[in-house]
């Protein structure tokens, strides 16, 4: 079977995740990995039997570039993976998983997997500059606190992502 991993990464978190998933799948499947910026056209995915799309989370869902790409992908077998500045088992993490499931509802889903990721310091600075008129003070403080507590995914968490998709693809094969 032939598959492709395409990822969008702002700070390197999702790139690390994509590379680990690739490392785990490449011995069993014919795999390609590409940064979304190096993909000229979503039609490039047509020659693959499955697509794994990685993204960083923005406002509870995949970033805009990944969203636009996903909407154009015609492959039926698609899985989503992402990194976010919160823990996967947090309230926000659970909302993200729900949103990712919704994005795959018209596909033969290979599932969705999220790992924590370190929040971009530029984003934290932007959050600090937001006024109470845009975001309530308590919400802003919670967002900043969560962002400052964010961390990169551990090797074990990344391996978990790779094994998750290996199992899903094995069932499909």
């Amino acid at each position: 079977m032939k598959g492709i991993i395409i990822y969008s990464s702002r700070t390197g978190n999702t790139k690390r995740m994509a590379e680990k998933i690739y490392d785990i799948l490449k011995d069993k499947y014919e795999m390609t990995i590409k940064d979304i910026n190096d993909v000229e056209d979503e039609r490039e995915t047509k020659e693959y039997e499955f697509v794994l799309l990685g993204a960083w989370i923005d406002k509870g869902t995949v970033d805009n570039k990944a969203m636009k790409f996903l909407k154009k992908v015609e492959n039926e077998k698609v899985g989503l993976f992402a990194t976010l500045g919160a823990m996967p088992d947090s309230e926000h993490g659970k909302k993200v998983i729900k949103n990712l499931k919704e994005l795959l509802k018209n596909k033969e889903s290979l599932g969705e997997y999220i790992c924590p990721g370190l929040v971009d310091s530029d984003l934290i600075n932007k959050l600090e500059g937001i006024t109470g008129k845009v975001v309530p003070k308590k919400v802003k403080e919670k967002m900043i606190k969560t962002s400052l507590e964010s961390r990169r995914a551990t090797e074990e968490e990344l391996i978990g992502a790779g094994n998750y998709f290996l199992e899903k693809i094995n069932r499909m094969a």
Side-chain angles (χ1 to χ4, degrees), residues 21-136:
I21 294 168
Y22 172 80
D23 286 343
I24 289 172
L25 297 179
K26 70 180 180 178
D27 293 332
K28 182 139 183 171
Y29 300 103
E30 186 180 338
M31 296 300 301
T32 300
I33 183 171
K34 286 190 171 189
D35 184 305
I36 200 166
N37 295 313
D38 297 331
V39 177
E40 292 180 27
D41 190 310
E42 67 283 342
R43 288 175 288 188
E44 279 185 52
T45 65
K46 283 187 176 185
E47 66 183 84
Y48 298 94
E49 294 172 75
F50 64 90
V51 176
L52 298 179
L53 178 63
W56 50 278
I57 296 300
D58 185 27
K59 300 177 189 115
T61 193
V62 298
D63 65 271
N64 285 336
K65 192 169 248 187
M67 183 68 79
K68 287 177 187 173
F69 186 86
L70 180 62
K71 287 180 178 179
K72 293 179 181 179
V73 168
E74 294 177 9
N75 301 63
E76 286 301 313
K77 297 174 176 90
V78 179
L80 294 175
F81 62 94
T83 57
L84 68 154
M87 295 306 292
D89 61 353
S90 68
E91 182 180 328
H92 181 60
K94 290 173 185 172
K95 286 180 186 175
V96 167
I97 286 289
K98 182 179 177 186
N99 292 341
L100 297 183
K101 283 181 188 297
E102 183 67 20
L103 290 174
L104 293 173
K105 72 180 180 184
N106 295 322
K107 301 281 185 188
E108 186 178 331
S109 174
L110 293 175
E112 53 290 316
Y113 200 96
I114 58 175
C115 281
L118 193 60
V119 173
D120 185 355
S121 59
D122 289 344
L123 180 58
I124 297 170
N125 291 337
K126 283 182 184 177
L127 286 172
E128 289 171 342
I130 293 175
T131 66
K133 294 176 185 175
V134 177
V135 176

